[in-house]
Amino acid sequence: LMNHPVIRQIIKMKWHKFGQTRCLVNLLIYGVYLISWTCVVFIYQPWKLEQSSSGSTTDGANIASVCVAVVLFLYLLVEEFRDLYQSVMTHSRYKEWRSKQIERDLQYVPDKLNEEKEYLVNQAELVRNSHSQYRQDPWNTFDWIGYVSMFVTSICVLTCLYGGEDFGKNHTEAYERFALWTSRLMCITIIIVWFKLFKYVRVYSFLGPFVVILVNTIHDIMKICFVFVVFFVPTVAVFYHFYNKPDGQYFVGVRETVFTVFRMLLVDDYGYDDEMRGMTADTQIGTQVTPEVSWTDFLVSYWLLVGAIIILNLFIALMSDTFQRVFDNAMEVALLERATIICSIENNLPGNKKRAFLRHLKEKCAPLEAYYDDDEDEDEEGGDVKKFTEQT
């Protein structure tokens, strides 16, 4: 459907009339929102308690960044509620109209046509169970995850900025934990907020196909993560079983062992010479028996072969297959994403602008006049290039 010239033309016309401007404004607003929260992360570190005592948390740059970030967050939250309400109301009107249409058709179906009646009954059931376009878009679910995270982060940051001094004097240990978790939450939230930028650039033709391909690779990442966990967990258990030492560095506990085994895949330092190969076999009675060097070499070689070679190449093969499969329809899917956003913008247009656009369609586009130049190659006699303009 997206390849049909009429569909492409109407999408292009709506994009130039009102979609492009609105999307650009949304992108600029969200860009300022990103910059303000990024400045907050750079300027203010709640886990550095000396900032509160020195008064650096209330300087002009920090207060300005937090105020701009919170104001824009509230604006985006209001816009999200408005989109949700508009989508629900539009879908409710559609369900009411479609249900009446089906009921009307059922009145004119003869009793002998049981299949036709069953079809209409099923259609009515589908209409009753249908959901709005807002709920069907996974980006909106991700939006609400970001809004909830940002709301909690805003409350924590404002608490540290303006209530941390009095709270810290009376509850020093509790405030230290609260400030540390505020910093961690800020870091997680800023990653989510930056990832949401893909939602605002997916409407543009030069980035839309890339976003489509990136989103479709999430399924491959989940598959390869499952395969990785199946091999990773028993490998961690084996390394912890043989090389755990209370006085060691790399395999002291389960957390250290998990991180060390993961570092092996990156050919990082994981204590091969110090804590693994340096352990010599001692089989005397009454002493601890340590793994042999050959067993250590086998375990390390097995994990590097499985993790760094087999699983990594399997992941690359899955990504390549998905890229090739999605790339064939990436342009059409990106155009569909643009059409969906244009429909959402059109539903939120004021009444006068919507009527003006419909008037433009009636007066200028029914039928649409399109001009084109057709340049032909030189003929065999070496004549001039034929140029002509036709009105269709």
Side-chain angles (χ1 to χ4, degrees):
L1 182 62
M2 291 293 105
N3 287 325
H4 197 282
V6 175
I7 300 298
R8 285 182 174 269
Q9 187 64 29
I10 190 64
I11 293 175
K12 180 180 179 181
M13 187 177 300
K14 290 185 176 183
W15 172 253
H16 288 297
K17 283 294 181 180
F18 52 83
Q20 187 175 14
T21 303
R22 183 58 184 174
C23 288
L24 183 59
V25 171
N26 291 340
L27 181 60
L28 291 177
I29 293 175
Y30 195 77
V32 177
Y33 174 70
L34 281 180
I35 294 173
S36 60
W37 272 110
T38 305
C39 291
V40 172
V41 174
F42 274 111
I43 296 173
Y44 180 50
Q45 296 89 24
W47 64 277
K48 293 183 178 180
L49 301 179
E50 62 270 12
Q51 284 188 343
S52 299
S53 59
S54 62
S56 61
T57 59
T58 57
D59 58 4
N62 198 19
I63 293 178
S65 300
V66 173
C67 291
V68 172
V70 172
V71 169
L72 289 179
F73 165 68
L74 294 177
Y75 168 79
L76 293 174
L77 189 60
V78 171
E79 286 292 314
E80 197 71 26
F81 274 112
R82 190 166 71 95
D83 292 341
L84 175 61
Y85 174 77
Q86 187 68 36
S87 178
V88 170
M89 294 303 297
T90 302
H91 186 68
S92 177
R93 290 193 296 267
Y94 165 76
K95 289 174 66 175
E96 183 179 358
W97 169 79
R98 182 59 178 158
S99 298
K100 291 181 179 179
Q101 192 179 45
I102 294 175
E103 291 176 0
R104 183 199 62 187
D105 294 342
L106 281 172
Q107 295 177 358
Y108 297 99
V109 176
D111 296 334
K112 296 180 179 181
L113 298 179
N114 294 327
E115 294 182 357
E116 182 71 18
K117 185 178 295 185
E118 183 180 358
Y119 168 77
L120 291 175
V121 171
N122 292 334
Q123 288 294 311
E125 185 69 21
L126 289 176
V127 171
R128 284 193 295 269
N129 297 331
S130 62
H131 301 290
S132 62
Q133 185 66 33
Y134 185 91
R135 293 181 59 181
Q136 297 177 15
D137 190 357
W139 280 104
N140 294 324
T141 303
F142 186 78
D143 279 348
W144 282 107
I145 295 175
Y147 288 134
V148 171
S149 176
M150 184 58 68
F151 178 77
V152 177
T153 302
S154 302
I155 297 298
C156 293
V157 169
L158 293 176
T159 302
C160 290
L161 277 174
Y162 301 106
E165 186 175 355
D166 297 334
F167 181 75
K169 290 180 180 179
N170 301 325
H171 308 84
T172 305
E173 185 178 354
Y175 176 71
E176 289 178 358
R177 290 198 300 268
F178 179 78
L180 180 60
W181 279 103
T182 300
S183 295
R184 293 172 177 172
L185 187 59
M186 287 174 62
C187 297
I188 295 174
T189 303
I190 196 64
I191 294 174
I192 297 176
V193 169
W194 271 95
F195 189 80
K196 242 183 70 175
L197 183 63
F198 287 119
K199 176 185 176 181
Y200 291 88
V201 301
R202 60 179 174 156
V203 296
Y204 297 99
S205 56
F206 62 96
L207 286 174
F210 173 75
V211 176
V212 171
I213 294 172
L214 183 64
V215 171
N216 279 271
T217 56
I218 295 178
H219 299 284
D220 290 335
I221 295 175
M222 295 176 62
K223 294 176 185 176
I224 208 66
C225 285
F226 174 76
V227 176
F228 180 78
V229 168
V230 170
F231 287 97
F232 183 73
V233 173
T235 304
V236 171
V238 170
F239 277 96
Y240 182 82
H241 179 81
F242 280 104
Y243 304 107
N244 169 251
K245 292 194 306 180
D247 57 345
Q249 179 182 358
Y250 299 96
F251 304 95
V252 178
V254 177
R255 181 178 61 85
E256 291 81 2
T257 305
V258 169
F259 187 62
T260 301
V261 173
F262 182 76
R263 289 171 64 180
M264 290 183 183
L265 301 178
L266 307 177
V267 198
D268 198 359
D269 184 17
Y270 49 88
Y272 178 73
D273 294 325
D274 300 333
E275 298 187 19
M276 298 173 66
R277 192 177 179 87
M279 299 173 66
T280 59
D282 187 357
T283 57
Q284 296 180 4
I285 299 176
T287 61
Q288 181 181 0
V289 179
T290 57
E292 297 179 353
V293 174
S294 59
W295 176 250
T296 300
D297 293 341
F298 168 75
L299 291 179
V300 173
S301 301
Y302 157 78
W303 179 233
L304 292 178
L305 176 65
V306 172
I309 299 178
I310 297 178
I311 296 181
L312 180 60
N313 283 276
L314 181 62
F315 180 60
I316 295 174
L318 280 174
M319 294 283 286
S320 301
D321 178 70
T322 301
F323 179 85
Q324 186 61 41
R325 176 166 39 83
V326 176
F327 183 77
D328 296 336
N329 299 321
M331 296 297 295
E332 288 75 15
V333 176
L335 188 61
L336 181 61
E337 294 281 352
R338 174 181 288 189
T340 304
I341 295 175
I342 288 176
C343 290
S344 176
I345 296 174
E346 186 177 8
N347 291 332
N348 294 327
L349 282 177
N352 56 344
K353 291 186 177 180
K354 187 179 294 186
R355 286 190 296 269
F357 177 71
L358 294 176
R359 192 181 310 113
H360 171 78
L361 289 180
K362 181 180 180 181
E363 297 175 356
K364 303 293 184 181
C365 306
L368 176 66
E369 296 181 352
Y371 297 89
Y372 69 94
D373 291 332
D374 190 4
D375 297 338
E376 296 181 350
D377 296 334
E378 295 184 359
D379 54 15
E380 297 178 357
E381 298 179 359
D384 296 332
V385 177
K386 296 180 182 179
K387 295 183 178 180
F388 62 92
T389 302
E390 293 184 0
Q391 181 178 0
T392 58

